[in-house]
Amino acid sequence: MALQTEIRNLLDCHVVGSDGQSIGKVGQVYLNDRTGEPEWVTVRTGFFGVKQTFVPLASARRSGEEIRVPYDRETIKGAPNIDVDGRLSLNEEADLYRYYGMQPEDVPRQRTGETRTRGPVTGEPQDPAAERRRGVAPEARGMSGETRGGVTDDGDIDMTRSEERLHIGKESRETGRVRLHKFVETETVRERIPLTHEEVVIEREPIRDGELAGTFEIGEEDRQMILHEERPVVSKETRPVERVHVHKQAVRHEETVEGQVRRERLEIDEEGLTRDDKRGPGRGGNLPPKR
């Protein structure tokens, strides 16, 4: 009863995308045949709500009558177009998981083309005849030809092993700037320079009698003498004394760069004997040969 109540509550909800926009009303609920828990819902999109698109519930959060999913409207509308009237096949479910970026543990272990018994729940009583028309009887849910963990006894199985590679490149970034600026500073220069000037020297010489002949009269008389002196004269001239050239050059150096990469490892269980393959195909791995 609790599960039926939960399914009815889900059918009354609206799906809201990661951008906060309402995507549409829940159309059907798909259960996990092994656990019986709701795993997928379909949401009505398109004009008049005719188209139904599958949305996983793995990362969804329910709040009242809203189911919030980590995908926007365009992502959900672009999901693989799958008929909602039947059960999900393995290929259909794998396509949905790949599209939404999910990797469940049980899906890669299924054989390609094998039918999954995940049926829709619409809130209406299930019709046994309709179940049989889909190729699965109601009492056979959870079987569908699967044995021991979802692997059939016939045919081969394939699994792809992946690993990450570290790509190291270079980028150029600014580390500093050099600015060449010229400014004027004043300096006091002192030099000693010899100068000359003229001074008056008065010499008196007595005249003896009889040294000068002639008649002399007393009267006024003026005579002049010009004196000279040297003075320092300062003048300036501008002349270039130095040229400064600035350029940049590339200097090489080495740095050690490290990063973490992930790789997948295959574990092979053969009748209780477990073997690890860390090298993978093409690297000397110990995978058994295909029959």
Side-chain angles (χ1 to χ4, degrees), residues 55-219:
V55 182
L57 294 175
S59 301
R61 292 185 301 104
R62 182 181 169 191
S63 175
E65 295 185 354
E66 292 182 348
I67 300 177
R68 294 185 175 271
V69 294
Y71 315 103
D72 57 19
R73 175 187 292 270
E74 295 302 322
T75 300
I76 295 176
K77 291 177 62 176
N81 189 13
I82 298 175
D83 184 10
V84 299
D85 293 331
R87 294 178 175 274
L88 281 176
S89 68
L90 172 65
N91 290 337
E92 292 172 340
E93 191 174 21
D95 289 343
L96 288 172
Y97 276 120
R98 280 192 294 268
Y99 178 79
Y100 285 106
M102 304 168 62
Q103 295 182 351
E105 295 179 358
D106 59 333
V107 170
R109 292 160 50 188
Q110 304 293 332
R111 263 196 331 118
T112 303
E114 186 178 10
T115 302
R116 298 277 300 180
T117 57
R118 297 185 187 271
V121 179
T122 61
E124 301 295 334
Q126 296 293 324
D127 182 7
E131 294 284 352
R132 290 186 176 88
R133 283 197 298 271
R134 296 187 186 112
V136 180
E139 62 274 9
R141 292 182 183 177
M143 300 297 293
S144 67
E146 298 181 5
T147 61
R148 292 189 306 174
V151 181
T152 58
D153 291 334
D154 55 344
D156 299 334
I157 57 173
D158 294 323
M159 183 178 292
T160 301
R161 193 180 71 88
S162 304
E163 66 181 23
E164 295 177 335
R165 298 293 176 86
L166 191 65
H167 297 282
I168 300 176
K170 296 186 294 184
E171 66 175 358
S172 178
R173 62 185 181 90
E174 183 176 307
T175 58
R177 297 187 181 186
V178 177
R179 182 169 61 96
L180 188 61
H181 173 69
K182 181 173 66 174
F183 59 93
V184 178
E185 63 179 9
T186 302
E187 178 185 2
T188 300
V189 179
R190 290 185 176 87
E191 291 186 8
R192 298 185 65 85
I193 179 174
L195 301 174
T196 61
H197 65 278
E198 297 176 341
E199 296 181 352
V200 175
V201 178
I202 300 177
E203 297 179 354
R204 297 177 182 274
E205 182 182 354
I207 300 175
R208 296 185 179 89
D209 292 340
E211 290 182 357
L212 292 177
T215 303
F216 296 91
E217 294 181 358
I218 295 176

Side-chain angles (χ1 to χ4, degrees), residues 275-286:
R275 296 188 296 176
D276 291 340
D277 175 42
K278 300 180 181 178
R279 292 167 291 182
R283 299 188 181 183
N286 54 4

